[in-house]
C-alpha cells in the first residue's frame, strides 16, 4: 500500500511539475514589463491577434513548442520629437522675379510632436514584417514626425491662401490636427500632442498675383513666337518659290535659246510673254 501510494504521489508530482512548466512557458504576459506591450509571433499561428499587456492574463500554447514562438516587445509610452520642414512654393524663384521687390516665397515650420502607434497598427506592421523590433518602431515614428511637419506646413499655407487677412499660425492644435487629417494621413499613428514652435508662411495673395503676371507675360511671349514663326515660314516659302522660279527660267533658256535673243534685243514684254508660254 505504501509503495502504491508513493507511486501515485510521484506521478502526481511529475504531472504537477509538467503542468507548472507548461503553465509557466505558456504564460506570455508574465514576460511583459509594466511599460511595454508584446506581440506574439509563431510559426504555427502567425501573429496573435491581440497585443499582450501587463495586468491582462494571457496564456498561449504556441510557446510550448521549441523554437515555434517569439514574443516581440515594444515600449508603450508616447515618443517625442522636435522636427522641421523647409521648402518653397512651386516655381517660387520664377514668380518672384515678376515682382519689383522680389518677395521670398519660401516656407518653414518647426514643431514639437508626441506620437504613439495604435495597437491595431502595431499588429498589422508586425504581420507585414515592417516592424519586428522596438528600434524599428522608433525609426518609423521618427519618419512619421517628419511627415507631420510637412502636413502642418501644407495646412498653414492652405489656410493662409484661403484667408489672407487671418493669421494661420494662430490656429489651435485641434484645428490643425483636424485640418491635416491625421487618421487618414498617418496610417495608425496617434498624435498625442503637437506644438508649432515657429512657422514662416509666404504671402499667398502676392504669390498668386506674381503667378498671374508671369502667366500673362508668357502668353504674350508665346503669341510673339507664333507670329515670328509664321513670318519665318512665309519667308522661307517665298524664297523657295523664287528659287524654283529661277530654276525653271534657267532650264527654259537652255531648252529654248531663241528666248535669249529676244532678251538681248531689249524687248522685255515679248520676252516675258514668251517665257510664260514656255514655262507653263
Amino acid at each position: 500500500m505504501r509503495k502504491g501510494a508513493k507511486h501515485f504521489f510521484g506521478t502526481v508530482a511529475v504531472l504537477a511539475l509538467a503542468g507548472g512548466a507548461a503553465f509557466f512557458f505558456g504564460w506570455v504576459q508574465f514576460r511583459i514589463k509594466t511599460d511595454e506591450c508584446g506581440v506574439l509571433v509563431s510559426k504555427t499561428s502567425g501573429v496573435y491577434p491581440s497585443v499582450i499587456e501587463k495586468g491582462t492574463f494571457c496564456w498561449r500554447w504556441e510557446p510550448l513548442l521549441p523554437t515555434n514562438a517569439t514574443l516581440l516587445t515594444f515600449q508603450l509610452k508616447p515618443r517625442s520629437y522636435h522636427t522641421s520642414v523647409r521648402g518653397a512654393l512651386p516655381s517660387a524663384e520664377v514668380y518672384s522675379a515678376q515682382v519689383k521687390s522680389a518677395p521670398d516665397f519660401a516656407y518653414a515650420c518647426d514643431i514639437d510632436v508626441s506620437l504613439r502607434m495604435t495597437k491595431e497598427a502595431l499588429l498589422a506592421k508586425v504581420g507585414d514584417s515592417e516592424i519586428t523590433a522596438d528600434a524599428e518602431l522608433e525609426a518609423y515614428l521618427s519618419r512619421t514626425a517628419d511627415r507631420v511637419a510637412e502636413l502642418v506646413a501644407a495646412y498653414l499655407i492652405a489656410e493662409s491662401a484661403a484667408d489672407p487677412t487671418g493669421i494661420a499660425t494662430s490656429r489651435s492644435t485641434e484645428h490643425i490636427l483636424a485640418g491635416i487629417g491625421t487618421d487618414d494621413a498617418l496610417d495608425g499613428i496617434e498624435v498625442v500632442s503637437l506644438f508649432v514652435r515657429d512657422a514662416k508662411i509666404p504671402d499667398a495673395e502676392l504669390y498668386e498675383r506674381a503667378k498671374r503676371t508671369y502667366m500673362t507675360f508668357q502668353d504674350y511671349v508665346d503669341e510673339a513666337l507664333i507670329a515670328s514663326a509664321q513670318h519665318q515660314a512665309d519667308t522661307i516659302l517665298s524664297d523657295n518659290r523664287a528659287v524654283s522660279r529661277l530654276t525653271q527660267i534657267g532650264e527654259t533658256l537652255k531648252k529654248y535659246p531663241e528666248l535669249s535673243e529676244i532678251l538681248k534685243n531689249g524687248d522685255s514684254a515679248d520676252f516675258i510673254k514668251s517665257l510664260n508660254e514656255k514655262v507653263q
Side-chain angles (χ1 to χ4, degrees):
M1 194 70 181
R2 289 182 179 178
K3 187 176 180 181
K6 288 181 180 179
H7 178 73
F8 172 77
F9 285 116
T11 302
V12 170
V14 170
L15 292 175
L17 289 173
F23 178 80
F24 176 78
F25 287 110
W27 187 19
V28 289
Q29 173 252 339
F30 175 75
R31 288 175 270 168
I32 302 297
K33 296 179 181 179
T34 303
D35 58 348
E36 290 181 341
C37 69
V39 177
L40 183 66
V41 182
S42 66
K43 298 175 184 177
T44 52
S45 305
V47 178
Y48 182 61
S50 297
V51 168
I52 302 165
E53 298 180 73
K54 193 76 172 178
T56 302
F57 179 76
C58 181
W59 186 92
R60 298 296 303 169
W61 62 267
E62 289 89 348
L64 301 182
L65 302 177
T67 72
N68 178 54
T70 302
L71 182 64
L72 306 176
T73 58
F74 304 92
Q75 292 289 323
L76 274 175
K77 63 181 180 180
R79 313 190 192 203
S80 299
Y81 304 91
H82 172 70
T83 186
S84 62
V85 61
R86 279 160 176 72
L89 298 179
S91 303
E93 293 184 2
V94 175
Y95 299 155
S96 178
Q98 307 303 312
V99 182
K100 186 176 181 180
S101 60
D104 184 7
F105 294 132
Y107 61 85
C109 186
D110 298 329
I111 67 168
D112 290 330
V113 61
S114 181
L115 303 173
R116 176 172 53 204
M117 180 172 283
T118 64
K119 298 173 185 177
E120 295 77 13
L122 181 59
L123 289 170
K125 298 296 181 185
V126 172
D128 294 338
S129 298
E130 189 173 350
I131 295 176
T132 58
D134 194 66
E136 293 176 353
L137 175 58
E138 169 68 26
Y140 188 93
L141 290 174
S142 179
R143 292 193 299 271
T144 303
D146 294 336
R147 175 61 177 155
V148 172
E150 294 174 354
L151 292 172
V152 171
Y155 168 78
L156 295 177
I157 291 171
E159 285 293 287
S160 178
D163 183 14
T165 61
I167 303 176
T169 54
S170 66
R171 302 291 192 273
S172 66
T173 300
E174 291 74 16
H175 278 90
I176 294 176
L177 291 177
I180 65 178
T182 52
D183 292 340
D184 297 327
L186 300 185
D187 191 21
I189 302 299
E190 177 188 357
V191 179
V192 179
S193 64
L194 173 69
F195 175 68
V196 180
R197 278 178 170 264
D198 188 28
K200 174 188 174 186
I201 306 300
D203 188 327
E205 189 173 17
L206 186 57
Y207 173 79
E208 289 299 326
R209 186 183 305 171
K211 182 178 179 179
R212 287 194 300 269
T213 300
Y214 173 80
M215 292 302 180
T216 301
F217 170 75
Q218 195 62 45
D219 288 341
Y220 288 144
V221 171
D222 292 343
E223 291 176 4
L225 288 175
I226 293 173
S228 177
Q230 185 62 51
H231 175 71
Q232 292 293 330
D234 292 342
T235 301
I236 292 172
L237 181 61
S238 177
D239 290 344
N240 286 340
R241 287 175 177 173
V243 171
S244 178
R245 185 66 174 172
L246 290 173
T247 301
Q248 286 180 310
I249 291 174
E251 292 175 351
T252 302
L253 290 175
K254 289 180 182 180
K255 188 174 181 180
Y256 303 102
E258 64 272 18
L259 293 178
S260 299
E261 295 300 324
I262 295 175
L263 183 59
K264 290 178 182 178
N265 293 333
D267 191 346
S268 58
D270 290 342
F271 171 75
I272 294 172
K273 180 180 179 182
S274 300
L275 181 62
N276 288 331
E277 292 174 351
K278 300 296 185 182
V279 172
Q280 292 175 358

